[in-house]
Amino acid sequence: MSTPQLITVLGATGSVGLSTLDVIARHPARYQVFALTGYTRLAELLALCVRHTPQFAVVPTTAAARQLQDDLRVAGLDTRVLVGEGGLCEVSAHPLVDTVLAAIVGAAGLRPTLAAVEAGKKVLLANKEALVMSGALFMQAVRRSGTVLLPLDSEHNAIFQCLPRDYESGLEKVGVRRILLTASGGPFRQTPLAELEHVSPDQACAHPNWSMGRKISVDSASMMNKGLELIEACWLFDTTPARIEVVIHPQSVIHSMVDYVDGSVLAQLGNPDMRTPIAHALAWPERIDSGVAPLDLFSIARLDFEAPDEVRFPCLRLARQAAEAGDSAPAVLNAANEVAVAAFLDKRIRYPEIASMIDEVLNLEPVVAVSELETVFEIDARARTLAEQWLDRNGR
Ligand code: NDP
Ligand code: MG
Protein backbone atom coordinates (compact mmCIF):
# COMPACT_ATOMS: atom_id res chain seq x y z
CA MET A 1 0.00 0.00 0.00
CA SER A 2 1.27 3.53 -0.81
CA THR A 3 2.25 5.84 2.04
CA PRO A 4 -0.45 8.17 3.39
CA GLN A 5 -0.65 11.72 2.00
CA LEU A 6 0.52 14.34 4.49
CA ILE A 7 -1.97 17.13 5.03
CA THR A 8 -1.75 20.60 6.55
CA VAL A 9 -5.08 21.92 7.83
CA LEU A 10 -4.99 25.73 8.04
CA GLY A 11 -7.83 26.76 10.34
CA ALA A 12 -8.18 23.31 11.95
CA THR A 13 -10.23 24.57 14.91
CA GLY A 14 -12.95 26.02 12.67
CA SER A 15 -16.06 24.50 11.17
CA VAL A 16 -14.45 23.43 7.86
CA GLY A 17 -11.25 22.36 9.67
CA LEU A 18 -13.17 20.05 11.99
CA SER A 19 -15.22 18.55 9.12
CA THR A 20 -11.95 17.89 7.29
CA LEU A 21 -10.42 16.14 10.28
CA ASP A 22 -13.55 14.00 10.54
CA VAL A 23 -13.12 12.83 6.93
CA ILE A 24 -9.36 12.32 7.31
CA ALA A 25 -9.85 10.19 10.44
CA ARG A 26 -12.08 7.83 8.42
CA HIS A 27 -9.18 7.01 6.07
CA PRO A 28 -5.99 6.59 8.11
CA ALA A 29 -4.30 4.54 5.40
CA ARG A 30 -4.80 7.36 2.86
CA TYR A 31 -4.28 10.53 4.90
CA GLN A 32 -2.18 11.65 7.81
CA VAL A 33 -2.23 15.05 9.47
CA PHE A 34 1.06 16.94 9.08
CA ALA A 35 0.15 20.27 10.68
CA LEU A 36 -2.81 21.88 12.43
CA THR A 37 -3.33 25.60 13.05
CA GLY A 38 -5.55 27.55 15.44
CA TYR A 39 -6.00 31.14 16.49
CA THR A 40 -8.19 31.62 19.59
CA ARG A 41 -9.55 28.11 20.34
CA LEU A 42 -6.25 26.77 21.67
CA ALA A 43 -7.69 24.20 24.10
CA GLU A 44 -9.46 22.68 21.07
CA LEU A 45 -6.20 22.79 19.13
CA LEU A 46 -4.46 20.84 21.91
CA ALA A 47 -7.24 18.22 21.86
CA LEU A 48 -6.94 17.96 18.06
CA CYS A 49 -3.17 17.48 18.36
CA VAL A 50 -3.70 14.67 20.87
CA ARG A 51 -6.20 13.04 18.50
CA HIS A 52 -4.26 13.48 15.21
CA THR A 53 -0.57 13.67 16.37
CA PRO A 54 0.65 16.23 13.80
CA GLN A 55 4.34 17.05 13.34
CA PHE A 56 3.58 20.78 13.67
CA ALA A 57 1.00 23.08 15.23
CA VAL A 58 0.77 26.84 14.64
CA VAL A 59 -0.60 29.50 17.02
CA PRO A 60 -0.62 33.32 16.78
CA THR A 61 1.70 34.37 19.65
CA THR A 62 4.91 33.30 21.36
CA ALA A 63 3.13 33.08 24.72
CA ALA A 64 0.46 30.78 23.26
CA ALA A 65 3.18 28.69 21.62
CA ARG A 66 5.03 28.25 24.93
CA GLN A 67 1.82 27.17 26.64
CA LEU A 68 0.83 24.72 23.90
CA GLN A 69 4.36 23.29 23.70
CA ASP A 70 4.29 22.61 27.47
CA ASP A 71 0.82 21.04 27.27
CA LEU A 72 1.89 18.84 24.35
CA ARG A 73 4.95 17.67 26.28
CA VAL A 74 2.77 16.74 29.26
CA ALA A 75 0.52 14.82 26.84
CA GLY A 76 3.61 12.92 25.62
CA LEU A 77 3.62 14.41 22.10
CA ASP A 78 6.63 15.72 20.19
CA THR A 79 4.57 18.06 17.96
CA ARG A 80 6.58 21.27 17.34
CA VAL A 81 4.75 24.55 17.79
CA LEU A 82 5.40 27.42 15.37
CA VAL A 83 4.23 31.03 15.61
CA GLY A 84 2.30 33.51 13.48
CA GLU A 85 2.09 34.06 9.75
CA GLY A 86 5.66 32.81 9.29
CA GLY A 87 4.67 29.53 10.94
CA LEU A 88 1.54 29.25 8.80
CA CYS A 89 3.56 29.76 5.61
CA GLU A 90 6.17 27.24 6.79
CA VAL A 91 3.66 24.42 7.33
CA SER A 92 1.96 25.27 4.00
CA ALA A 93 5.14 25.11 1.95
CA HIS A 94 6.99 22.37 3.89
CA PRO A 95 8.67 19.87 1.53
CA LEU A 96 6.99 16.89 3.23
CA VAL A 97 3.45 18.22 2.71
CA ASP A 98 1.28 16.86 -0.13
CA THR A 99 -1.98 18.74 0.40
CA VAL A 100 -2.96 21.98 2.11
CA LEU A 101 -6.50 22.62 3.18
CA ALA A 102 -7.05 26.40 3.27
CA ALA A 103 -9.77 27.01 5.87
CA ILE A 104 -8.65 30.14 7.72
CA VAL A 105 -11.41 32.74 7.58
CA GLY A 106 -10.81 36.10 5.91
CA ALA A 107 -7.80 38.00 4.61
CA ALA A 108 -5.55 36.33 7.21
CA GLY A 109 -5.56 33.21 5.02
CA LEU A 110 -4.11 34.84 1.92
CA ARG A 111 -0.35 34.59 2.52
CA PRO A 112 -0.34 31.00 3.86
CA THR A 113 -2.63 29.83 1.04
CA LEU A 114 -0.43 31.50 -1.56
CA ALA A 115 2.64 29.95 0.07
CA ALA A 116 1.06 26.53 -0.55
CA VAL A 117 0.25 27.42 -4.16
CA GLU A 118 3.77 28.70 -4.81
CA ALA A 119 5.28 25.55 -3.31
CA GLY A 120 3.19 23.48 -5.76
CA LYS A 121 1.06 21.75 -3.12
CA LYS A 122 -2.38 20.40 -3.91
CA VAL A 123 -4.57 23.16 -2.46
CA LEU A 124 -8.16 22.60 -1.33
CA LEU A 125 -9.66 26.07 -1.07
CA ALA A 126 -12.35 27.04 1.43
CA ASN A 127 -10.88 30.49 2.21
CA LYS A 128 -12.79 32.33 -0.55
CA GLU A 129 -11.71 35.76 0.77
CA ALA A 130 -8.12 35.02 -0.34
CA LEU A 131 -9.25 34.54 -3.93
CA VAL A 132 -11.65 37.51 -3.85
CA MET A 133 -8.86 39.82 -2.65
CA SER A 134 -6.17 38.79 -5.07
CA GLY A 135 -7.85 36.73 -7.81
CA ALA A 136 -5.64 37.68 -10.76
CA LEU A 137 -2.38 37.27 -8.84
CA PHE A 138 -3.60 34.10 -7.12
CA MET A 139 -4.57 32.41 -10.40
CA GLN A 140 -1.29 33.52 -12.03
CA ALA A 141 0.53 31.82 -9.16
CA VAL A 142 -1.58 28.67 -9.66
CA ARG A 143 -0.67 28.56 -13.37
CA ARG A 144 3.01 29.31 -12.69
CA SER A 145 3.42 26.51 -10.17
CA GLY A 146 1.13 24.08 -12.01
CA THR A 147 -0.49 23.20 -8.71
CA VAL A 148 -3.85 21.44 -8.43
CA LEU A 149 -6.40 23.88 -6.96
CA LEU A 150 -9.71 22.29 -5.99
CA PRO A 151 -12.72 24.19 -4.64
CA LEU A 152 -14.16 23.15 -1.28
CA ASP A 153 -16.88 25.76 -1.25
CA SER A 154 -19.93 23.55 -1.84
CA GLU A 155 -21.22 25.56 -4.83
CA HIS A 156 -17.86 25.68 -6.59
CA ASN A 157 -17.21 22.06 -5.81
CA ALA A 158 -20.63 21.28 -7.35
CA ILE A 159 -19.83 23.34 -10.47
CA PHE A 160 -16.46 21.60 -10.77
CA GLN A 161 -18.26 18.24 -10.60
CA CYS A 162 -20.72 19.34 -13.35
CA LEU A 163 -18.00 20.51 -15.76
CA PRO A 164 -16.06 18.28 -18.16
CA ARG A 165 -12.39 17.54 -17.39
CA ASP A 166 -11.18 19.93 -20.13
CA TYR A 167 -13.16 22.97 -18.90
CA GLU A 168 -9.91 24.91 -18.46
CA SER A 169 -9.78 25.29 -22.27
CA GLY A 170 -12.67 27.77 -21.80
CA LEU A 171 -16.29 27.42 -20.69
CA GLU A 172 -17.57 28.50 -24.13
CA LYS A 173 -15.45 25.85 -25.83
CA VAL A 174 -17.02 23.12 -23.71
CA GLY A 175 -20.55 24.39 -24.42
CA VAL A 176 -21.40 26.12 -21.15
CA ARG A 177 -24.07 28.82 -21.42
CA ARG A 178 -24.33 29.85 -17.76
CA ILE A 179 -23.40 28.85 -14.28
CA LEU A 180 -26.36 28.72 -11.90
CA LEU A 181 -25.03 29.53 -8.44
CA THR A 182 -27.52 28.41 -5.81
CA ALA A 183 -28.12 30.17 -2.49
CA SER A 184 -30.36 29.21 0.41
CA GLY A 185 -31.44 32.82 1.01
CA GLY A 186 -30.36 32.44 4.65
CA PRO A 187 -32.37 33.09 7.80
CA PHE A 188 -33.84 36.43 6.60
CA ARG A 189 -35.26 35.33 3.24
CA GLN A 190 -38.82 35.97 4.42
CA THR A 191 -38.31 38.34 7.37
CA PRO A 192 -40.39 41.52 6.89
CA LEU A 193 -37.97 44.23 5.67
CA ALA A 194 -38.88 46.57 8.54
CA GLU A 195 -37.71 43.95 11.07
CA LEU A 196 -34.20 43.70 9.63
CA GLU A 197 -33.23 46.85 11.63
CA HIS A 198 -33.59 44.81 14.81
CA VAL A 199 -32.17 41.36 14.01
CA SER A 200 -29.42 40.15 16.36
CA PRO A 201 -26.08 38.47 15.56
CA ASP A 202 -27.44 35.17 16.92
CA GLN A 203 -30.44 35.37 14.59
CA ALA A 204 -28.13 36.11 11.67
CA CYS A 205 -25.95 33.12 12.58
CA ALA A 206 -28.90 30.70 12.81
CA HIS A 207 -28.62 29.39 9.27
CA PRO A 208 -31.58 27.22 8.25
CA ASN A 209 -29.50 24.46 6.60
CA TRP A 210 -25.76 24.79 7.24
CA SER A 211 -23.71 24.91 10.44
CA MET A 212 -20.75 27.28 9.87
CA GLY A 213 -18.43 29.82 11.50
CA ARG A 214 -19.96 33.15 12.54
CA LYS A 215 -18.43 35.34 9.82
CA ILE A 216 -19.65 33.22 6.91
CA SER A 217 -23.02 32.79 8.66
CA VAL A 218 -23.56 36.57 8.67
CA ASP A 219 -22.34 36.67 5.05
CA SER A 220 -24.96 34.05 4.22
CA ALA A 221 -27.70 36.07 5.91
CA SER A 222 -26.77 39.22 3.94
CA MET A 223 -26.01 37.18 0.78
CA MET A 224 -22.57 38.81 0.67
CA ASN A 225 -21.46 35.19 0.80
CA LYS A 226 -23.09 34.65 -2.60
CA GLY A 227 -21.48 37.85 -3.86
CA LEU A 228 -18.04 36.65 -2.73
CA GLU A 229 -18.83 33.29 -4.35
CA LEU A 230 -19.75 35.00 -7.61
CA ILE A 231 -16.28 36.58 -7.67
CA GLU A 232 -14.71 33.28 -6.57
CA ALA A 233 -16.45 31.48 -9.45
CA CYS A 234 -15.23 34.05 -12.00
CA TRP A 235 -11.63 33.29 -11.02
CA LEU A 236 -11.92 29.53 -10.57
CA PHE A 237 -13.73 28.94 -13.85
CA ASP A 238 -12.27 31.87 -15.84
CA THR A 239 -15.60 33.48 -16.63
CA THR A 240 -17.45 36.79 -16.25
CA PRO A 241 -20.18 37.90 -13.80
CA ALA A 242 -22.63 38.11 -16.73
CA ARG A 243 -22.42 34.34 -17.17
CA ILE A 244 -23.32 33.61 -13.56
CA GLU A 245 -26.88 33.69 -12.35
CA VAL A 246 -27.73 33.48 -8.66
CA VAL A 247 -30.73 31.27 -7.88
CA ILE A 248 -32.32 31.06 -4.46
CA HIS A 249 -33.01 27.45 -3.58
CA PRO A 250 -34.14 27.31 0.06
CA GLN A 251 -33.66 23.55 0.60
CA SER A 252 -29.86 23.63 -0.09
CA VAL A 253 -30.00 20.24 -1.78
CA ILE A 254 -28.79 21.34 -5.21
CA HIS A 255 -25.38 22.88 -4.56
CA SER A 256 -25.15 24.59 -7.99
CA MET A 257 -25.73 23.85 -11.68
CA VAL A 258 -24.18 24.25 -15.11
CA ASP A 259 -26.44 25.18 -18.05
CA TYR A 260 -25.17 23.96 -21.44
CA VAL A 261 -26.00 25.35 -24.91
CA ASP A 262 -27.94 22.22 -25.86
CA GLY A 263 -30.41 22.88 -23.04
CA SER A 264 -28.95 20.33 -20.62
CA VAL A 265 -28.60 21.51 -17.04
CA LEU A 266 -26.32 19.43 -14.81
CA ALA A 267 -26.65 19.71 -11.06
CA GLN A 268 -24.88 18.23 -8.06
CA LEU A 269 -27.15 17.26 -5.17
CA GLY A 270 -26.45 16.16 -1.66
CA ASN A 271 -27.21 16.77 1.98
CA PRO A 272 -25.88 20.15 3.16
CA ASP A 273 -22.75 18.82 4.85
CA MET A 274 -19.26 20.11 4.03
CA ARG A 275 -17.81 16.62 4.39
CA THR A 276 -19.10 15.81 0.87
CA PRO A 277 -17.09 18.50 -1.00
CA ILE A 278 -14.15 17.92 1.36
CA ALA A 279 -14.09 14.16 0.64
CA HIS A 280 -14.55 14.84 -3.07
CA ALA A 281 -11.62 17.25 -3.23
CA LEU A 282 -9.37 15.16 -0.97
CA ALA A 283 -9.77 12.00 -3.05
CA TRP A 284 -10.30 13.52 -6.50
CA PRO A 285 -10.46 11.95 -9.05
CA GLU A 286 -11.42 8.99 -6.86
CA ARG A 287 -14.41 8.83 -4.48
CA ILE A 288 -14.27 7.99 -0.78
CA ASP A 289 -16.77 7.68 2.06
CA SER A 290 -17.38 11.05 3.75
CA GLY A 291 -19.65 9.95 6.58
CA VAL A 292 -22.56 11.92 5.06
CA ALA A 293 -25.92 10.17 5.07
CA PRO A 294 -27.40 9.25 1.67
CA LEU A 295 -29.78 11.84 0.24
CA ASP A 296 -33.40 10.94 0.98
CA LEU A 297 -35.36 12.54 -1.87
CA PHE A 298 -38.69 11.31 -0.53
CA SER A 299 -38.29 13.19 2.74
CA ILE A 300 -37.11 16.32 0.88
CA ALA A 301 -40.12 15.94 -1.44
CA ARG A 302 -39.75 19.27 -3.26
CA LEU A 303 -37.13 21.65 -4.61
CA ASP A 304 -38.01 25.35 -4.84
CA PHE A 305 -36.34 28.19 -6.76
CA GLU A 306 -36.68 32.00 -6.55
CA ALA A 307 -34.91 35.01 -8.03
CA PRO A 308 -32.93 37.01 -5.43
CA ASP A 309 -34.45 40.31 -4.31
CA GLU A 310 -31.77 43.04 -4.44
CA VAL A 311 -33.76 45.34 -2.14
CA ARG A 312 -33.67 42.68 0.54
CA PHE A 313 -30.08 41.70 -0.28
CA PRO A 314 -28.16 44.90 -1.25
CA CYS A 315 -24.82 43.17 -0.52
CA LEU A 316 -25.39 40.91 -3.50
CA ARG A 317 -25.76 43.97 -5.74
CA LEU A 318 -22.63 45.58 -4.26
CA ALA A 319 -20.62 42.42 -4.85
CA ARG A 320 -21.82 42.14 -8.45
CA GLN A 321 -20.81 45.79 -9.01
CA ALA A 322 -17.36 45.09 -7.53
CA ALA A 323 -17.02 41.97 -9.68
CA GLU A 324 -17.86 43.97 -12.79
CA ALA A 325 -15.51 46.83 -11.85
CA GLY A 326 -12.69 44.29 -11.30
CA ASP A 327 -9.08 45.29 -10.43
CA SER A 328 -8.97 46.46 -6.79
CA ALA A 329 -12.76 46.65 -6.23
CA PRO A 330 -13.25 43.09 -4.90
CA ALA A 331 -10.42 43.58 -2.36
CA VAL A 332 -12.11 46.78 -1.14
CA LEU A 333 -15.48 45.00 -0.94
CA ASN A 334 -13.96 42.16 1.05
CA ALA A 335 -12.10 44.38 3.52
CA ALA A 336 -15.12 46.62 4.15
CA ASN A 337 -17.29 43.54 4.61
CA GLU A 338 -14.88 41.97 7.13
CA VAL A 339 -14.93 45.16 9.23
CA ALA A 340 -18.71 45.49 8.90
CA VAL A 341 -19.43 41.89 9.89
CA ALA A 342 -17.10 42.09 12.91
CA ALA A 343 -18.83 45.35 13.96
CA PHE A 344 -22.27 43.74 13.58
CA LEU A 345 -21.18 40.69 15.60
CA ASP A 346 -19.89 43.12 18.29
CA LYS A 347 -23.27 44.91 18.19
CA ARG A 348 -21.67 48.18 17.12
CA ILE A 349 -23.87 48.48 14.01
CA ARG A 350 -27.29 47.23 12.98
CA TYR A 351 -27.70 44.57 10.31
CA PRO A 352 -28.78 46.95 7.44
CA GLU A 353 -25.72 49.11 8.15
CA ILE A 354 -23.44 46.32 6.92
CA ALA A 355 -24.46 47.19 3.35
CA SER A 356 -24.41 50.98 3.99
CA MET A 357 -20.84 50.84 5.26
CA ILE A 358 -19.59 48.70 2.36
CA ASP A 359 -21.38 50.92 -0.17
CA GLU A 360 -19.70 54.06 1.18
CA VAL A 361 -16.22 52.50 1.30
CA LEU A 362 -16.61 51.25 -2.30
CA ASN A 363 -17.60 54.77 -3.37
CA LEU A 364 -14.67 56.42 -1.59
CA GLU A 365 -11.91 54.08 -2.70
CA PRO A 366 -10.92 54.45 -6.38
CA VAL A 367 -10.57 51.33 -8.52
CA VAL A 368 -6.89 50.77 -9.38
CA ALA A 369 -4.97 48.08 -11.24
CA VAL A 370 -3.27 45.47 -9.06
CA SER A 371 -0.04 43.86 -10.17
CA GLU A 372 1.65 43.01 -6.87
CA LEU A 373 0.58 41.33 -3.67
CA GLU A 374 1.83 44.25 -1.60
CA THR A 375 -0.65 46.49 -3.45
CA VAL A 376 -3.45 44.13 -2.42
CA PHE A 377 -2.47 44.48 1.25
CA GLU A 378 -2.22 48.28 0.90
CA ILE A 379 -5.71 48.42 -0.63
CA ASP A 380 -7.02 46.09 2.08
CA ALA A 381 -5.54 48.33 4.80
CA ARG A 382 -6.91 51.53 3.24
CA ALA A 383 -10.40 50.07 2.90
CA ARG A 384 -10.31 48.89 6.53
CA THR A 385 -9.32 52.41 7.64
CA LEU A 386 -12.22 53.92 5.68
CA ALA A 387 -14.59 51.35 7.19
CA GLU A 388 -13.29 52.13 10.71
CA GLN A 389 -13.82 55.85 10.05
CA TRP A 390 -17.40 55.10 8.99
CA LEU A 391 -17.79 53.17 12.25
CA ASP A 392 -16.41 56.08 14.31
CA ARG A 393 -19.00 58.36 12.73
CA ASN A 394 -21.99 56.01 12.72
CA GLY A 395 -21.32 53.08 15.07
CA ARG A 396 -22.25 52.65 18.71
P1 NDP B 1 -14.58 29.37 11.48
O1 NDP B 1 -14.73 30.71 12.06
O2 NDP B 1 -15.37 28.23 12.03
O3 NDP B 1 -13.03 28.95 11.49
C1 NDP B 1 -12.02 29.82 11.06
C2 NDP B 1 -10.65 29.24 11.31
O4 NDP B 1 -9.66 30.24 11.05
C3 NDP B 1 -10.43 28.81 12.77
O5 NDP B 1 -9.55 27.73 12.80
C4 NDP B 1 -9.78 30.06 13.37
O6 NDP B 1 -9.03 29.78 14.55
C5 NDP B 1 -8.88 30.48 12.23
N1 NDP B 1 -8.55 31.90 12.24
C6 NDP B 1 -9.40 32.95 12.43
N2 NDP B 1 -8.74 34.12 12.34
C7 NDP B 1 -7.44 33.80 12.08
C8 NDP B 1 -6.26 34.59 11.90
N3 NDP B 1 -6.28 35.94 11.94
N4 NDP B 1 -5.09 33.94 11.67
C9 NDP B 1 -5.05 32.60 11.62
N5 NDP B 1 -6.13 31.79 11.79
C10 NDP B 1 -7.31 32.40 12.01
O7 NDP B 1 -14.88 29.53 9.91
P2 NDP B 1 -15.37 28.43 8.86
O8 NDP B 1 -14.68 27.14 9.09
O9 NDP B 1 -16.86 28.45 8.80
O10 NDP B 1 -14.87 29.07 7.49
C11 NDP B 1 -13.50 29.04 7.13
C12 NDP B 1 -13.36 29.52 5.69
O11 NDP B 1 -14.06 28.59 4.85
C13 NDP B 1 -14.01 30.88 5.42
O12 NDP B 1 -13.25 31.56 4.46
C14 NDP B 1 -15.37 30.54 4.85
O13 NDP B 1 -15.86 31.53 3.99
C15 NDP B 1 -15.06 29.26 4.09
N6 NDP B 1 -16.19 28.36 3.92
C16 NDP B 1 -16.82 27.83 5.02
C17 NDP B 1 -17.91 26.98 4.87
C18 NDP B 1 -18.57 26.35 6.06
O14 NDP B 1 -19.46 25.51 5.86
N7 NDP B 1 -18.22 26.68 7.29
C19 NDP B 1 -18.42 26.66 3.53
C20 NDP B 1 -17.66 27.24 2.46
C21 NDP B 1 -16.59 28.06 2.66
P3 NDP B 1 -9.77 29.76 16.02
O15 NDP B 1 -11.07 29.06 15.80
O16 NDP B 1 -8.82 28.95 16.85
O17 NDP B 1 -9.91 31.16 16.45
MG1 MG C 1 -20.64 28.21 -0.32
Side-chain angles (χ1 to χ4, degrees):
M1 184 177 282
S2 56
T3 53
Q5 285 179 38
L6 291 181
I7 301 186
T8 284
V9 183
L10 300 172
T13 47
S15 167
V16 173
L18 293 175
S19 293
T20 303
L21 291 171
D22 181 277
V23 177
I24 287 177
R26 290 168 193 273
H27 303 279
R30 284 184 89 115
Y31 308 114
Q32 221 169 359
V33 173
F34 178 79
L36 296 176
T37 86
Y39 195 65
T40 58
R41 288 176 270 197
L42 300 181
E44 285 84 342
L45 183 61
L46 172 64
L48 293 175
C49 288
V50 170
R51 168 99 176 77
H52 297 279
T53 62
Q55 297 186 32
F56 291 95
V58 186
V59 295
T61 64
T62 315
R66 216 172 287 131
Q67 178 70 53
L68 182 62
Q69 195 70 74
D70 286 349
D71 294 342
L72 287 164
R73 208 170 293 121
V74 171
L77 295 182
D78 56 8
T79 302
R80 270 189 57 205
V81 184
L82 305 178
V83 181
E85 197 169 68
L88 294 172
C89 292
E90 193 175 330
V91 297
S92 290
H94 195 287
L96 289 176
V97 170
D98 298 296
T99 299
V100 174
L101 188 117
I104 288 175
V105 59
L110 177 53
R111 277 194 215 272
T113 306
L114 259 185
V117 168
E118 280 161 0
K121 306 303 179 190
K122 177 175 170 184
V123 175
L124 313 189
L125 184 74
N127 179 207
K128 65 192 84 179
E129 296 91 346
L131 196 53
V132 168
M133 287 172 76
S134 69
L137 297 173
F138 193 102
M139 295 311 290
Q140 273 165 26
V142 169
R143 281 189 286 273
R144 221 173 19 241
S145 70
T147 194
V148 175
L149 175 70
L150 293 172
L152 279 197
D153 212 342
S154 56
E155 296 77 2
H156 306 74
N157 184 271
I159 295 161
F160 180 80
Q161 294 198 46
C162 295
L163 287 171
R165 276 283 182 94
D166 59 343
Y167 77 87
E168 280 169 328
S169 63
L171 292 192
E172 259 168 77
K173 271 211 178 121
V174 298
V176 172
R177 181 159 44 200
R178 292 177 304 168
I179 286 174
L180 301 170
L181 190 64
T182 55
S184 69
F188 304 142
R189 183 171 62 89
Q190 294 175 314
T191 307
L193 290 178
E195 284 176 26
L196 293 178
E197 273 284 303
H198 308 292
V199 296
S200 68
D202 285 344
Q203 283 172 295
C205 290
H207 196 280
N209 307 327
W210 293 92
S211 151
M212 308 180 285
R214 283 172 81 77
K215 191 263 177 182
I216 184 177
S217 295
V218 175
D219 285 347
S220 299
S222 70
M223 282 192 79
M224 178 56 90
N225 184 49
K226 215 46 55 183
L228 298 176
E229 291 184 354
L230 174 92
I231 300 169
E232 183 185 13
C234 288
W235 290 116
L236 285 172
F237 305 114
D238 192 18
T239 190
T240 56
R243 275 189 187 268
I244 303 177
E245 184 164 346
V246 173
V247 178
I248 293 191
H249 162 49
Q251 290 90 355
S252 299
V253 168
I254 295 179
H255 298 304
S256 278
M257 296 172 262
V258 177
D259 177 13
Y260 287 88
V261 288
D262 62 3
S264 302
V265 176
L266 301 195
Q268 186 260 358
L269 286 71
N271 286 316
D273 186 322
M274 284 302 289
R275 290 177 300 171
T276 294
I278 290 166
H280 170 267
L282 269 174
W284 182 82
E286 294 171 29
R287 297 270 178 180
I288 56 170
D289 172 39
S290 63
V292 176
L295 188 64
D296 180 356
L297 284 171
F298 299 116
S299 72
I300 294 160
R302 54 184 281 182
L303 301 174
D304 295 314
F305 305 97
E306 298 165 11
D309 169 354
E310 289 196 345
V311 174
R312 177 178 294 278
F313 298 115
C315 286
L316 186 57
R317 174 178 49 80
L318 294 172
R320 198 176 267 282
Q321 278 168 13
E324 281 158 3
D327 289 327
S328 60
V332 173
L333 174 91
N334 179 66
N337 182 57
E338 285 194 31
V339 175
V341 171
F344 171 67
L345 287 171
D346 282 349
K347 302 189 176 170
R348 293 184 63 198
I349 60 172
R350 293 173 197 271
Y351 169 81
E353 290 175 316
I354 294 175
S356 314
M357 184 199 276
I358 299 166
D359 197 2
E360 181 164 318
V361 174
L362 277 171
N363 283 330
L364 287 173
E365 185 62 32
V367 178
V368 295
V370 181
S371 55
E372 284 174 42
L373 195 61
E374 288 323 305
T375 316
V376 175
F377 285 108
E378 282 164 24
I379 292 160
D380 176 81
R382 268 206 312 272
R384 281 170 202 270
T385 304
L386 288 172
E388 294 291 350
Q389 287 167 352
W390 189 98
L391 256 184
D392 290 342
R393 286 195 307 278
N394 303 286
R396 277 176 270 168

